[in-house]
Structure formats: C-alpha cells, structure tokens
Amino acid sequence: MAKKELFRQLPSIDGIIQKKKIQDLMEQYSEKFVKEQIRLVVDGYRKKILNLPDNGVLNIREEEVIQDICQSVKDLFKPSFVRTLNGTGTVVHTNLGRSLLAKEAVDHMMEVSTAYSNLEYDIKKGERGSRYNIITEILTRITGAEDALIVNNNAAAVFLMLNSMAKGKETIVSRGELVEIGDSFRISSIMEESGTNLVEVGATNKTHLYDYENEISEDTAVLMKVHTSNFKILGFHESVSIEELVLLGEKYNIPVVEDLGSGTLIDFTPYGLSPERTVMEALEEGADLVSFSGDKILGGPQAGIIVGKKKYIDALKKNQLLRAFRVDKFTLAALESTLLLYLDPKDAMEKIPTLRLMTMDEKKLQEKAEKLKEQLSSLDGLKIRIIDGVSTVGGGAFPMEELPTKVIAITSNQPAHVIEEKLRLSSIHLIGMIREEEYLLDIRCLFEEDFEKIKEVLENILEDDQ
Ligand SMILES: *Cc1c(COP(=O)(O)O)cnc(C)c1O
C-alpha cells in the first residue's frame, strides 16, 4: 500500500477527540493533557509510516489508535521505579537495587513513617535528642567499637572522615588500593574532593611499610587503607596489613582509617565462602575508624556506617558537613532492624535476604530450579534444561568467589534475544541472560512466589509466535 494511502487511513486529531472513550478520558484527566498524548501517539504512527520499508505492511485501525492513546495516558500515572525479577544470579546487584530488606526492616520503616517517632527526641529525659544515638548502641554492641555514626552511603563516610581529620593535610594511601568503585567513580577522587592531599605510595602490586614511613611528615594526618573491592591482585603481590599500619600510626601518633567497602559482620567460611576480614577484625587489629556500606553484604538500606574510637567520631559529629550527609528516618529504622537481627547470627542468615541468597546451598538451588522447570513444562514450544552455573556475590565483595548455582536454560522458536527483551519489557520485568542461543535464568535470586507469574508471561510471549 502506498504511504500516501496509509497517511489517509490515520484518523484525524479532531475525529479522535470526538470519540466517546477520549471524551471520557478528558473528563477524568485534563483536556490539555489528553490532547498532548493524542498528538504524541499520532506522531508515533506518522513516524512508523515514514520508516516503513517499501514492501512493508502496516494496518492502521482507528480502534487501535484510540486504545494506544488511552494506554499512553494511563502509563503516565504509573511509577517508572518498579519491581524487577533478578535472573542474573548476582546477589548484591547495584543496577537492580543492591540489597533486599528483611521483613523486620520494612515493618519498622512503616511503623516510624506512618506515625510520629522519637527521631530526635529523648523519651527518657523528655527533651531534644539526636538521631545519631538511635543506632549507636546496637552498632557498638555488635562490633565492639567505642562509638558509631551513620551517613548516607560509604562514599559520604570516606569523604566525611577525611574532611574532618585530614583537610589541608596529607593522607597516605597505597596506590594498589585506589580502585574504581563502579560507574566511573574512583575512591581516590572522593578522597581528594574531601580537601586532603593524597599521597600515593608503593607500586600497583606492591606496597611496603617503609613506603608509608618514608612519606610521613608533620603534614600527615591519616594513614588510610581501602578494600580493593571488585578486584583482586593475584600472583606477585604484597600489601601492608592493618596491624603494621597501626603500629606505624602509633609510632608517629597518626590515626589509621580503613574503608572496608562491603563490610561483613559475620564469618562466612562455614558457608563455603573464602575468608573475608570482618568489621570486628579490622577494629581488633587497631583501626581507629572503619567505614562500610549498609546495602552491600550487610543486607540493609543504603547507608555509610562508621565505627571506631569515640574521639574521632566526636570530630566527625562536629563537622558541619554531617548535616549534608544526614540519613533519614527510613534508613535509620531499616538499619536498626537489620542490625538487631545480627544479634543472633542464625536469625540474620535466615531473615536477611542478601545473606540467605548468598549462602543458599546446592540442594535448595536444585529444588528451586526443578520447581520452576516443572511449572514451565506445561508450556508448548519450550525446551528447558537445568544446568550448572556460577553466581557472584556482587557489590565489590568476595570478588573472586564463584558460587555454584543452578541455571534454567530455555530455548524456543523465538531467538534468545527476543525472549530476553520481551521478558524484560513485560509486566514482571524479568532480567535474564543470554549465552549463545539460549536464554538463561540463574535460579538463585528468583523467588518461588513469582514462578506462576513467570509462567503466565512466558505463555503470552509464546503465543505471539502463533
Ligand atoms: C562500594 C564501595 C564504596 C562506596 O560505597 P557506597 O555505599 O556505594 O557509597 C566505597 N569504598 C569501597 C571500597 C567500596 O567497595
């Protein structure tokens, strides 16, 4: 059909406005707003016609155009921040929102956000209190630190520590520890922005204690150690332990600060993961301040947690910038409840989703995979296999850890990338993977209560093919 003919088939804007469905829409929403959407949808059709190849086919039905307009108006009232299903197997997936909160944390957030609270009110004394005291007790109890402070995230924690302790002075750090922490953010840039002069010592793969000592001067304010997070140097490699750094710090009376990155509060070796220094160990080894994230391995809300010596925490609390990094009540509630679960590590492992998913054993993974396979087996035109795979922890923690997992591999008449796109754009926003010609779902971070929905959506997608 000639393009001219197609343009003629396109209903006129005036004609569309007269339709009953559109009149109803205009009554419900504003007229101006609906007219805007009509123009957008009709323009969309015009573009489609223009881009149509010479032998292309396009059917324009008025009813469909009206339907598209109604949908586009309704879509504008839907949030764009939505649930997704994580079929990637990466537990702390920064793009997919990092940690899932425990139910206890969510309930607590609800409780203090739908009612007044003692956010900055001391109930015992009946006078003004501080929001920072809410979390101090539980954090010091769990970590053994003298004092604690919470800010918006770990990047803010690093910034605040150096800005308070080393602004206009020098911070010595090993070159091998200055990592990029994702999305082109470099820990060295954040440190420099704090106003400290970074003195980088050593080579990428080797730093010795004398490298630090050679650079110490009366301008040195902090000796810093940074967790190398998402990368690990293998082979010919040497770094200075926090204990050695602490001895050096004591000799020259310079505080030692450690950015632990993910920061674990539990030893995961009994669950088959490789040893990772815990926050408690860093403190026992003498770090004056230790900072870590709330929403990585800890499994809580986004936050930067700082624990350590009271005299340094006091200095941070006096910094005017603390106000700019202040956490809200939702964060404090979710974090406190998450931390309370850590009082009984068994409780923490069961109730904090991040920990549960990270340490899920192969038997459970196999069972879950079989359940999903079974559920999908009634669909025609699908070939489903369960294969072995590898999940990662993510969030810069346990960089080399390969968690054995089970993967559902799906093939159908439609190419894997088409299945991938349709599931991603569908109402459940399932994020999967493609390998060669197979569509893959790592079972680890998928939940059984979503299996039925996955089946329904896949069923619809398969019908598209017929
Ligand atoms: C992730 C990470 C950060 C940043 O933490 P956020 O909580 O995301 O701000 C800083 N340092 C290290 C070593 C990290 O791994």
Side-chain angles (χ1 to χ4, degrees):
M1 196 183 294
K3 289 191 178 180
K4 224 163 90 187
E5 182 59 28
L6 282 172
F7 278 119
R8 228 191 331 254
Q9 278 183 13
L10 210 55
S12 75
I13 290 188
D14 286 338
I16 292 172
I17 289 172
Q18 299 311 318
K19 295 286 167 202
K20 168 97 175 53
K21 271 191 183 156
I22 299 294
Q23 287 289 322
D24 289 350
L25 266 188
M26 284 180 172
E27 217 154 275
Q28 194 175 355
Y29 310 104
S30 88
E31 192 176 313
K32 179 168 167 286
F33 177 71
V34 175
K35 279 184 178 163
E36 246 168 53
Q37 295 310 307
I38 296 175
R39 248 173 244 125
L40 281 175
V41 170
V42 172
D43 273 353
Y45 273 94
R46 287 214 177 95
K47 284 204 186 88
K48 244 194 225 169
I49 298 171
L50 280 174
N51 294 332
L52 199 67
D54 285 341
N55 56 353
V57 186
L58 188 66
N59 273 322
I60 294 175
R61 294 200 344 234
E62 188 181 73
E63 193 47 37
E64 220 164 278
V65 178
I66 304 286
Q67 199 49 46
D68 284 357
I69 292 164
C70 294
Q71 193 58 48
S72 93
V73 169
K74 281 179 192 141
D75 282 351
L76 284 171
F77 287 84
K78 279 197 211 142
S80 48
F81 185 28
V82 293
R83 246 176 90 98
T84 63
L85 300 184
N86 178 4
T88 70
T90 301
V91 180
V92 183
H93 197 308
T94 296
N95 302 148
L96 301 183
R98 285 197 184 161
S99 276
L100 311 184
L101 293 179
K103 183 175 180 304
E104 286 75 1
V106 176
D107 289 348
H108 194 176
M109 270 164 68
M110 281 286 286
E111 188 181 322
V112 297
S113 57
T114 51
Y116 292 106
S117 65
N118 64 334
L119 180 64
E120 291 192 350
Y121 184 78
D122 187 324
I123 292 178
K124 275 190 202 133
K125 294 186 186 151
E127 59 189 43
R128 192 192 151 84
S130 161
R131 71 177 63 213
Y132 297 108
N133 293 342
I134 293 175
I135 294 279
T136 310
E137 199 198 315
I138 179 78
L139 264 174
T140 52
R141 194 149 29 119
I142 292 175
T143 63
E146 283 178 17
D147 205 352
L149 186 63
I150 308 295
V151 290
N152 268 328
N153 55 23
N154 191 25
V158 169
F159 185 100
L160 185 70
M161 291 191 294
L162 294 183
N163 183 269
S164 312
M165 296 162 75
K167 187 178 168 186
K169 295 189 158 189
E170 290 176 356
T171 298
I172 304 182
V173 66
S174 162
R175 195 165 274 124
E177 295 172 359
L178 292 174
V179 292
E180 188 166 299
I181 53 176
D183 204 16
S184 80
F185 279 99
R186 297 212 169 120
I187 197 74
S188 58
S189 311
I190 294 164
M191 292 163 81
E192 274 168 348
E193 289 290 339
S194 76
T196 193
N197 299 317
L198 269 196
V199 178
E200 299 173 23
V201 296
T204 309
N205 61 337
K206 270 196 167 197
T207 305
H208 305 278
L209 193 62
Y210 59 73
D211 289 323
Y212 290 88
E213 188 156 17
N214 284 345
E215 290 297 336
I216 289 181
S217 71
E218 55 192 29
D219 278 339
T220 309
V222 166
L223 301 177
M224 179 97 187
K225 195 163 175 61
V226 183
H227 191 286
T228 50
S229 293
N230 44 13
F231 97 123
K232 202 166 195 137
I233 299 173
L234 299 173
F236 201 56
H237 167 56
E238 212 171 300
S239 65
V240 174
S241 74
I242 195 87
E243 282 138 313
E244 293 173 280
L245 219 49
V246 165
L247 283 178
L248 189 64
E250 277 168 3
K251 183 169 159 193
Y252 292 94
N253 201 19
I254 302 168
V256 174
V257 169
E258 182 163 18
D259 168 11
L260 265 181
S262 207
T264 58
L265 295 176
I266 287 183
D267 172 18
F268 290 107
T269 48
Y271 301 91
L273 274 75
S274 38
E276 176 84 24
R277 267 172 67 246
T278 61
V279 174
M280 292 70 129
E281 281 171 311
L283 289 169
E284 271 162 26
E285 286 159 9
D288 292 291
L289 286 184
V290 173
S291 79
F292 52 102
S293 292
D295 57 350
K296 289 184 177 172
I297 299 306
L298 188 88
Q302 178 188 306
I305 302 167
I306 306 168
V307 290
K309 304 245 162 78
K310 183 168 184 319
K311 91 171 165 180
Y312 298 112
I313 297 279
D314 281 344
L316 305 193
K317 282 183 178 166
K318 286 204 192 89
N319 191 330
Q320 286 291 308
L321 273 173
L322 178 58
R323 179 62 193 245
F325 299 145
R326 186 167 97 162
V327 285
D328 63 11
K329 55 188 172 184
F330 312 110
T331 303
L332 288 169
L335 191 57
E336 186 179 30
S337 285
T338 305
L339 290 168
L340 281 169
L341 292 172
Y342 274 95
L343 289 176
D344 177 356
K346 202 171 139 280
D347 232 22
M349 296 306 293
E350 275 169 22
K351 294 183 176 161
I352 299 175
T354 299
L355 303 188
R356 195 172 63 231
L357 296 174
M358 245 173 73
T359 58
M360 191 168 279
D361 64 33
E362 283 196 73
K363 186 167 154 280
K364 174 83 191 126
L365 290 162
Q366 178 72 29
E367 278 170 21
K368 210 162 40 144
E370 274 166 19
K371 216 166 246 177
L372 181 57
K373 182 177 178 219
E374 165 72 26
Q375 207 135 349
L376 300 182
S377 66
S378 64
L379 300 180
D380 287 334
L382 274 191
K383 267 218 309 267
I384 304 170
R385 301 186 297 143
I386 297 177
I387 57 177
D388 291 332
V390 175
S391 329
T392 53
V393 175
F398 300 96
M400 301 304 282
E401 202 75 45
E402 300 195 330
L403 308 174
T405 192
K406 298 295 167 189
V407 173
I408 301 274
I410 296 176
T411 40
S412 78
N413 291 338
Q414 304 181 44
H417 74 269
V418 172
I419 296 278
E420 188 277 331
E421 186 183 17
K422 285 180 178 171
L423 284 167
R424 174 161 44 83
L425 298 176
S426 73
S427 57
I428 55 172
H429 303 299
L430 175 56
I431 314 296
M433 302 169 288
I434 296 171
R435 198 184 56 199
E436 285 155 23
E437 261 318 294
E438 277 184 311
Y439 176 72
L440 304 181
L441 290 173
D442 185 322
I443 203 71
R444 182 180 298 272
C445 304
L446 293 172
F447 297 100
E448 280 171 36
E449 59 259 34
D450 294 317
F451 288 0
E452 187 55 37
K453 202 82 196 150
I454 294 176
K455 180 190 153 183
E456 279 171 28
V457 170
L458 251 178
E459 194 166 14
N460 283 334
I461 288 173
L462 293 171
E463 275 168 10
D464 289 352
D465 201 31
Q466 282 152 22

